[in-house]
C-alpha cells in the first residue's frame, strides 16, 4: 500500500498505541496535520510548544507510557529544548516529532530552518534527522523503543517537509534493529548475592530510593524487599510515594529540603542500598562529607551512574524492578531452606533511633496569627480535600518543596515535578498532560507558584478547549519565594528583583477570562470551605488562588554547598550560626 | 594522575556520529588528545581511535558515556604494550641543494619517504609511533621546518583477536 510520509507518521503512532498527542501546527509539519484529521488518537492543541513537551512529560510521568508531542520547524522546535532537557534530567520517556524544512533546502538558511538535531545533540537520549520516507516507520518505532527502555528519556525525530509528502510503500516490522543499544536488564547474580551478604552484616542500613523505582514501577517489589529485611527507606524528591509515607519503614525525604530524619538516615548510615538514585548534589550536599561511613550498593539501569559521583562497593547494573525480583528470589529460596534469618540485619536499634528522630523533628508549621494563611497550611489542606486518590503536580520553588514535604504520598506516579532541571512553568502543562493520561476518575491538582504560573498559564486555554479538568492551585506569596529565601539567608536579606505584585495579574479575572471557576483564599478561616467548593467541580478546570503570607521559608535546609551535617531547621538557627562565625 | 589512554571505538556509520562523540567530550569537559576516524572491513561500521589523557575514574566515565550513545557499538581500551599504534606525519623542511643530502640521510634512518622535492625544500612522509615522529622533528628542527601536519593515532591490538569479534549487528525484538 502506497502512502505518504505524513500518513506513515500517523500509522506508526497508531501501531505504537498512542492515544494522545500534544502539538502545534506550522509550515514544515503541515503535511502531518492533514492525515491527523482521520488519525486514531487525540490531538491537544497547546498554546506554546514548551507546553506541548511538558504535557507529554506529564502524560508520561502519570501513565508510565511514552508522551508524544509534535511541532513544526525552527522556532517551534527550539521551543522544545527546555522540555527535552527536563525530560532527560528526570528520565521521562518522551517522543518529540519536529517538522524540518525540505531536505533540498537544508543548510540554506531557509525560512524557519534551524539545525534542530544539531541544537539538541547533547540533550535528549537520542535524535535523528530522517532522510527518506521509507525510514519513517523505523525511525519512530526506534525512537519509542529508546525512549521507554533502559533508562527512559526523550528522543527527537526531525522530518523534512518533502519527506512527509513523499509517497512510499508502507511497511511495519515489530522488531527493532539497534545493534549499539542493548540496555542490561538482569543484575549480575554474584553481585546480587554479595549485596545480600553485605546487607546482612550492616548495622545501620538504609534504602536510598530514587526516581528509577518510579520509572520501573517497582513499588510492590520495594515494599516486599524492605519489609522482609526490615530496611528503613528514604524516598528522594523523584521517588516520593514509591514507598508510602505511611509505611512503618518510611523515614523521610533526604536532600536539601528533606525531612530531618531523611537527611540524618543517610548521614549516619553504614550501608546505603541505592536503588535507581544518582547521588545528585541536592541529595548529597557537599559530596566529600556525604554519608561518610556508608558502604554503597548501587543498582541502576544506567551503568554511567554507577561510580559517577560516589565510589561503589557493590555495583549492580540492571532494571531495578528485575534486580529486586532477583533479590527476592534469593530471599525466598533461603526462607524455604530455613537460612533466611542469617540474611536479616540486626537493625532494631537503628530503626528505633530513626523513629525517634522522626518524632523529635517533625516539619514545623508555626501556628499562624489569626487570619494569616500560611503556604504550608494551604498545601496540607489541598491534600486533606483532594486526598490520596489525586495526582499532585508541582512547579519549582518553595511551594514545590512544601508540596514534597507535607503531602504524605502513597503511590508511584502520584507526585510529579521537575527535579533535575528545576523548570519553572512545568506545573500547568504537566498537570494537563497528566490529566489527559489518567482520565476522568483521577483528580489532578497542580500546586504552582505565582512566578511559575505566569510562565505557562496560557495552557489553561488548552485545558478548557479540550475539556481536561485540572485543578490549578496557585500558592501566591507575591514573590519568587525560593530566590527571596536565598537572598534573605545568604545575601543579608538584600532583595533583588524578586517581588511579584500579588494582584498582578488578578487571578480571579484571569479565571474569568478563561471561562473557568476561580476562587481566592486569603484567610485560614476560609481555607477548607473554599477548597471544598473547588473540589465539588470536576467537569471543568478550576483555578484556586491561595494568597499566603510572603515571609515563610522552607526548612529543613542544607545551605547550598554545605555538608548535610549543617542541616538547619529554622532561619534563627542559620542567623545564629552566621553570627557565631563572624564573632 | 593523568595517563594517556587509547580507545578503539566501533560506531555505526551514521551521519553526525562523529559530532555526537566530539560533542559528548566537550559537554562533559573531557579532553581528546587525538582522534582518527575511518572505514573498517564492514562498510556499515566506522572505527575511531581516540587518545585521551585522564585518570582511571574519569576514563571509566568516558567509556560509559560513550557506550550510552546509540550509534556506538563497541569500545576497547588498547593497552600500550599490547597494541600497535601509528601516526602519520608530513614535514616540509628547508633544504637548499647544499644540505639536501643530510636531510635525506636523516629520513633514511627513520625509514621515512621523500615525497616531494623543490628548489629549497623537501617534504618527508614518516609513519610510526608518536615518539618516533617527535624524534625526527627534533633532528629536522635545526634546518627550519616550514610546515608540519600530523594525523591522529590509529591503533590495533597485537595478536589474532579482532575488536569486531562478537559484535555482529543483530536484530532485536521490541520490548
Ligand atoms: C525557568 C526558570 N527560571 C528561573 C529559575 C530560578 N528559580 C527557582 S525557584 C524560583 C522562584 C519561583 O517562584 P514562584 O513560582 O513564585 O514559587 P515560590 O518559590 O514563591 O513558591 C526561581 C526564579 C528556575 N528554576 N527556572
Ligand atoms: Mg511565589
Amino acid at each position: 500500500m502506497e502512502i505518504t510520509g505524513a500518513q506513515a507518521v500517523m500509522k506508526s503512532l497508531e501501531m505504537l498505541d498512542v492515544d494522545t498527542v500534544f502539538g502545534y501546527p506550522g509550515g514544515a509539519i503541515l503535511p502531518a496535520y492533514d492525515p491527523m484529521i482521520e488519525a486514531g488518537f487525540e490531538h491537544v492543541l497547546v498554546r506554546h510548544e514548551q507546553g506541548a513537551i511538558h504535557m507529554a512529560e506529564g502524560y508520561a510521568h502519570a501513565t508510565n507510557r511514552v508522551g508524544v508531542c509534535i511541532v513544526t520547524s525552527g522556532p517551534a522546535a527550539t521551543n522544545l529544548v527546555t522540555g527535552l532537557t527536563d525530560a532527560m534530567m528526570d528520565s521521562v520517556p518522551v517522543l518529540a516529532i519536529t517538522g524540518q524544512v525540505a531536505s533540498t533546502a537544508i543548510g540554506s538558511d531557509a525560512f524557519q530552518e534551524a539545525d534542530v538535531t544539531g541544537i539538541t545533540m547533547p540533550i535528549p537520549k537520542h535524535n535523528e534527522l530522517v532522510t527518506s520516507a521509507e525510514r519513517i516507520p523505523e525511525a519512530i518505532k526506534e525512537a519509542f523503543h529508546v525512549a521507554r527502555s533502559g533508562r527512559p528519556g526523550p528522543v527527537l525525530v526531525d522530518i523534512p517537509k518533502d519527506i512527509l509528502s513523499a509517497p512510499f510503500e508502507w511497511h511495519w516490522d515489530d522488531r527493532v534493529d539497534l545493534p549499539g543499544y542493548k540496555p542490561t536488564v538482569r543484575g549480575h547474580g554474584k553481585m546480587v548475592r554479595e549485596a545480600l551478604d553485605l546487607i546482612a552484616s550492616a548495622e545501620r542500613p538504609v534504602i536510598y530510593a530514587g526516581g528509577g523505582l518510579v520509572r520501573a514501577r517497582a513499588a510492590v517489589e520495594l515494599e516486599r524487599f524492605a519489609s522482609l529485611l526490615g530496611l528503613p527507606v528514604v524516598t528522594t524528591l523523584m521517588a516520593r510515594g514509591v514507598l508510602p509515607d505511611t509505611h512503618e519503614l518510611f523515614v523521610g525525604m533526604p536532600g536539601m529540603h528533606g525531612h530531618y530524619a531523611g537527611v540524618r538516615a543517610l548521614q549516619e548510615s553504614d550501608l546505603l542500598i541505592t536503588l535507581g538514585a544518582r547521588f545528585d548534589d541536592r541529595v548529597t550536599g557537599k559530596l566529600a562529607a556525604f554519608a561518610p561511613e556508608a558502604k554503597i550498593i548501587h543498582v541502576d539501569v544506567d551503568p554511567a551512574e554507577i561510580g559517577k559521583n560516589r565510589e561503589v562497593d557493590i555495583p549492580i547494573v540492571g532494571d531495578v524492578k528485575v534486580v529486586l525480583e532477583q533479590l527476592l528470589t534469593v530471599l525466598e529460596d533461603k526462607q524455604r531452606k530455613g537460612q533466611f534469618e542469617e540474611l536479616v540485619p540486626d537493625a532494631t536499634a537503628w530503626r528505633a533511633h530513626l523513629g525517634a528522630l522522626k518524632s523529635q523533628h517533625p516539619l514545623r508549621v508555626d501556628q499562624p496569627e489569626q487570619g494569616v494563611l500560611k503556604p504550608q497550611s494551604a498545601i496540607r489542606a489541598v491534600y486533606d480535600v483532594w486526598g490520596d486518590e489525586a495526582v499532585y503536580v508541582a512547579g519549582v520553588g518553595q511551594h514545590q518543596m512544601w508540596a514534597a514535604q507535607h503531602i504524605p504520598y502513597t503511590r508511584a506516579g502520584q507526585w510529579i515535578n521537575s527535579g533535575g532541571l528545576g523548570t519553572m512553568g512545568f506545573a500547568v502543562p504537566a498537570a494537563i498532560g497528566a490529566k489527559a493520561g489518567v482520565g476522568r476518575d483521577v483528580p489532578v491538582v497542580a500546586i504552582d507558584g505565582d512566578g511559575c504560573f505566569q510562565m505557562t498559564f496560557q495552557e489553561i486555554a488548552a485545558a478548557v478547549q479540550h475539556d481536561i479538568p485540572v485543578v490549578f492551585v496557585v500558592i501566591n506569596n507575591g514573590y519568587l519565594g525560593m530566590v527571596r529565601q536565598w537572598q534573605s539567608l545568604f545575601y543579608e536579606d538584600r532583595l533583588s528583583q524578586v517581588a511579584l505584585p500579588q494582584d498582578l495579574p488578578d487571578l480571579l479575572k484571569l479565571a474569568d477570562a478563561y471561562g473557568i471557576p476561580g476562587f481566592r483564599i486569603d484567610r485560614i478561616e476560609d481555607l477548607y470551605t473554599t477548597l471544598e467548593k473547588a473540589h465539588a467541580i470536576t467537569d471543568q478546570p478550576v483555578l484556586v488562588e491561595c494568597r499566603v503570607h510572603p515571609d515563610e521559608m522552607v526548612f529543613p535546609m542544607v545551605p547550598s554547598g554545605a555538608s548535610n551535617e549543617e542541616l538547619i531547621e529554622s532561619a534563627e538557627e542559620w542567623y545564629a550560626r552566621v553570627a557565631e562565625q563572624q564573632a | 594522575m593523568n595517563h594517556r589512554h587509547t580507545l578503539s571505538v566501533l560506531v555505526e556509520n551514521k551521519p553526525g556520529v562523529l559530532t555526537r562523540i566530539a560533542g559528548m567530550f566537550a559537554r562533559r569537559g573531557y579532553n581528546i588528545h587525538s582522534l582518527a576516524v575511518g572505514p573498517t572491513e564492514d562498510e556499515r561500521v566506522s572505527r575511531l581511535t581516540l587518545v585521551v589523557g585522564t585518570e582511571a575514574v574519569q576514563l571509566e566515565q568516558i567509556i560509559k558515556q560513550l557506550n550510552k550513545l546509540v550509534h556506538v557499538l563497541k569500545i576497547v581500551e588498547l593497552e600500550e604494550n599490547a597494541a600497535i599504534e601509528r601516526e602519520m606525519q608530513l614535514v616540509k623542511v628547508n633544504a637548499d641543494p647544499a644540505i639536501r643530502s643530510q636531510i635525506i640521510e636523516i629520513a633514511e634512518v627513520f625509514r621515512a619517504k621523500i615525497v616531494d622535492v623543490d628548489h629549497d625544500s623537501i617534504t618527508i612522509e614518516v609513519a610510526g609511533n608518536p615518539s618516533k615522529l617527535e624524534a625526527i622533528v627534533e633532528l629536522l628542527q635545526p634546518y627550519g621546518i616550514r610546515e608540519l601536519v600530523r594525523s591522529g593515532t590509529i591503533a590495533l591490538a597485537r595478536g589474532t583477536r579482532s575488536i569486531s569479534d562478537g559484535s555482529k549487528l543483530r536484530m532485536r525484538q521490541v520490548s
Side-chain angles (χ1 to χ4, degrees):
Chain A
M1 181 187 33
E2 193 152 274
I3 63 171
T4 64
Q7 286 169 322
V9 172
M10 302 304 124
K11 271 181 97 73
S12 303
L13 295 176
E14 286 164 1
M15 294 300 290
L16 292 160
D17 292 328
V18 171
D19 58 20
T20 311
V21 164
F22 307 93
Y24 207 75
I29 199 71
L30 264 174
Y33 271 79
D34 183 71
M36 200 185 287
I37 296 172
E38 281 89 32
F41 50 78
E42 295 291 318
H43 177 277
V44 174
L45 179 64
V46 302
R47 295 300 186 271
H48 184 291
E49 290 85 357
Q50 183 185 356
I53 189 156
H54 288 328
M55 285 183 205
E57 288 187 83
Y59 177 97
H61 270 282
T63 62
N64 221 26
R65 305 179 58 198
V66 178
V68 182
C69 62
I70 181 163
V71 305
T72 192
S73 67
T78 58
N79 278 343
L80 295 186
V81 170
T82 302
L84 288 169
T85 316
D86 191 273
M88 189 63 185
M89 280 287 214
D90 288 343
S91 311
V92 188
V94 164
L95 167 63
I97 298 173
T98 49
Q100 180 55 277
V101 300
S103 46
T104 46
I106 287 181
S108 71
D109 302 313
F111 178 63
Q112 294 194 327
E113 179 182 3
D115 174 9
V116 171
T117 43
I119 289 167
T120 62
M121 201 161 272
I123 299 173
K125 190 170 170 186
H126 192 50
N127 69 14
E128 172 173 350
L129 172 63
V130 175
T131 51
S132 71
E134 287 76 21
R135 174 72 194 144
I136 286 175
E138 256 82 53
I140 291 180
K141 179 185 62 186
E142 285 171 15
F144 234 72
H145 176 65
V146 171
R148 68 184 168 190
S149 59
R151 179 178 182 175
V155 179
L156 179 139
V157 178
D158 196 28
I159 316 178
K161 188 172 186 178
D162 54 331
I163 285 168
L164 286 171
S165 307
F168 76 108
E169 194 58 35
W170 165 257
H171 54 84
W172 182 265
D173 181 346
D174 277 335
R175 286 171 301 175
V176 171
D177 179 21
L178 288 171
Y181 178 77
K182 296 189 178 70
T184 305
V185 175
R186 275 186 75 77
H188 195 289
K190 180 162 160 281
M191 290 294 160
V192 167
R193 287 188 300 276
E194 281 181 20
L196 287 173
D197 290 340
L198 195 58
I199 294 170
S201 61
E203 286 169 13
R204 301 184 304 282
V206 181
I207 293 180
Y208 164 19
L213 286 162
V214 177
R215 288 292 167 276
R217 290 295 194 264
V220 171
E221 293 77 6
L222 172 70
E223 199 281 330
R224 286 206 56 207
F225 178 66
S227 296
L228 271 178
L229 294 178
L231 302 169
V233 178
V234 300
T235 55
T236 68
L237 182 68
M238 296 313 294
R240 300 289 290 116
V242 75
L243 185 83
D245 285 23
T246 46
H247 197 283
E248 58 177 0
L249 287 166
F250 174 75
V251 181
M253 172 171 76
M256 179 175 268
H257 290 297
H259 301 112
Y260 184 91
V263 177
R264 291 308 308 166
L266 295 184
Q267 283 310 98
E268 295 175 22
S269 168
D270 69 349
L271 176 64
L272 300 188
I273 303 139
T274 310
L275 305 177
R278 60 186 178 93
F279 297 90
D280 177 72
D281 55 88
R282 285 298 192 262
V283 166
T284 63
K286 194 165 131 206
L287 197 55
F290 174 67
E293 287 165 27
K295 292 200 163 157
I296 310 286
I297 296 170
H298 194 172
V299 182
D300 206 294
V301 72
D302 179 358
E305 285 306 338
I306 294 177
K308 184 179 82 177
N309 293 340
R310 172 77 180 237
E311 223 181 299
V312 166
D313 298 278
I314 301 198
I316 304 181
V317 178
D319 179 316
V320 71
K321 187 181 178 101
V322 175
V323 173
L324 278 168
E325 281 164 2
Q326 289 177 268
L327 287 160
L328 288 168
T329 305
V330 177
L331 289 177
E332 281 154 11
D333 186 50
K334 294 278 180 183
Q335 272 177 327
R336 272 191 298 277
K337 292 180 182 150
Q339 299 162 338
F340 174 66
E341 292 310 315
E342 299 158 23
L343 289 178
V344 181
D346 179 11
T348 318
W350 170 237
R351 284 191 298 268
H353 170 67
L354 293 176
L357 286 184
K358 208 168 147 180
S359 50
Q360 286 156 15
H361 295 267
L363 292 168
R364 297 220 308 231
V365 192
D366 302 330
Q367 258 336 89
E369 314 147 33
Q370 252 197 339
V372 173
L373 178 59
K374 294 225 171 182
Q376 300 93 323
S377 320
I379 288 166
R380 285 185 173 205
V382 166
Y383 165 72
D384 288 339
V385 171
W386 273 274
D388 289 326
E389 57 162 357
V391 170
Y392 297 92
V393 185
V396 171
Q398 293 182 312
H399 63 282
Q400 171 194 26
M401 292 300 134
W402 286 317
Q405 291 178 335
H406 288 269
I407 295 179
Y409 297 98
T410 49
R411 60 194 154 81
Q414 189 191 9
W415 161 246
I416 297 174
N417 82 141
S418 163
L421 197 64
T423 308
M424 285 178 69
F426 177 80
V428 170
I432 296 170
K435 181 67 184 170
V438 296
R440 286 272 149 196
D441 298 338
V442 180
V444 174
V445 183
I447 297 177
D448 212 1
D450 47 332
C452 292
F453 183 72
Q454 291 183 67
M455 284 199 172
T456 47
F457 72 65
Q458 77 280 354
E459 302 303 342
I460 292 173
V464 173
Q465 181 177 351
H466 293 279
D467 194 14
I468 305 172
V470 172
V471 181
F472 302 102
V473 177
V474 179
I475 304 297
N476 187 355
N477 56 3
Y479 280 97
L480 298 172
M482 186 57 93
V483 180
R484 179 187 172 192
Q485 174 166 348
W486 284 48
Q487 290 178 347
S488 296
L489 295 175
F490 312 130
Y491 293 87
E492 298 169 339
D493 210 20
R494 284 161 52 85
L495 301 192
S496 174
Q497 302 298 324
V498 288
L500 306 169
Q502 245 179 340
D503 45 13
L504 185 65
D506 181 328
L507 294 183
L508 290 183
K509 286 188 184 157
L510 191 83
D512 209 30
Y514 283 110
I516 62 172
F519 300 91
R520 173 174 295 149
I521 308 170
D522 48 16
R523 302 178 336 131
I524 191 156
E525 289 76 5
D526 303 334
L527 185 55
Y528 281 84
T529 43
T530 310
L531 288 179
E532 288 296 353
K533 281 184 205 154
H535 181 245
I537 301 165
T538 54
D539 56 352
Q540 61 175 322
V542 186
L543 179 61
V544 181
E545 177 192 19
C546 296
R547 287 213 172 177
V548 298
H549 197 274
D551 295 344
E552 283 300 298
M553 293 197 210
V554 186
F555 290 107
M557 178 178 197
V558 178
S560 94
S563 118
N564 281 349
E565 294 298 324
E566 293 168 63
L567 181 72
I568 46 173
E569 289 181 277
S570 68
E572 295 69 45
E573 203 180 326
W574 172 252
Y575 294 129
R577 191 175 301 168
V578 173
E580 197 177 289
Q581 275 161 4
Q582 281 166 350
Chain B
M1 248 271 284
N2 274 11
H3 272 294
R4 193 173 172 281
H5 298 276
T6 305
L7 300 178
S8 249
V9 185
L10 292 186
V11 298
E12 279 189 86
N13 197 357
K14 292 272 165 83
V17 62
L18 197 57
T19 321
R20 270 179 218 283
I21 289 175
M24 191 281 286
F25 272 75
R27 133 130 169 74
R28 296 199 180 263
Y30 307 143
N31 277 321
I32 306 182
H33 283 333
S34 101
L35 187 159
V37 57
T40 62
E41 67 281 3
D42 180 341
E43 62 178 17
R44 295 169 300 175
V45 177
S46 296
R47 180 163 177 153
L48 268 78
T49 309
L50 283 160
V51 181
V52 295
T54 176
E55 19 95 53
V57 179
Q58 198 183 50
L59 180 70
E60 190 184 318
Q61 259 301 301
I62 291 176
I63 292 174
K64 286 172 167 179
Q65 294 294 348
L66 276 171
N67 255 321
K68 281 173 72 162
L69 299 175
V70 170
H71 291 154
V72 169
L73 299 171
K74 190 166 185 186
I75 305 165
V76 171
E77 189 190 355
L78 296 173
E79 302 289 342
E80 210 169 336
N81 38 24
I84 303 148
E85 293 194 2
R86 289 291 180 270
E87 285 175 19
M88 157 82 85
Q89 179 171 267
L90 297 172
V91 196
K92 192 181 288 176
V93 61
N94 285 331
D96 56 49
I99 56 166
R100 206 175 267 166
S101 59
Q102 297 176 28
I103 290 171
I104 293 172
E105 229 171 80
I106 294 175
E108 274 169 5
V109 174
F110 282 86
R111 294 211 208 128
K113 267 201 262 174
I114 310 294
V115 287
D116 189 47
V117 181
D118 205 347
H119 297 298
D120 46 18
S121 76
I122 286 186
T123 302
I124 296 171
E125 173 198 308
V126 56
N129 60 31
S131 57
K132 173 176 167 183
L133 302 198
E134 276 147 32
I136 191 169
V137 168
E138 209 168 291
L139 288 177
L140 293 172
Q141 209 96 55
Y143 300 97
I145 292 176
R146 300 179 74 92
E147 225 181 338
L148 180 151
V149 62
R150 189 162 156 180
S151 73
T153 303
I154 55 170
L156 280 185
R158 294 181 188 276
T160 315
R161 266 189 64 84
S162 145
I163 185 175
S164 36
D165 288 351
S167 83
K168 294 279 174 295
L169 301 168
R170 263 188 245 102
M171 298 280 279
R172 281 178 351 112
Q173 206 69 33
V174 183
S175 58

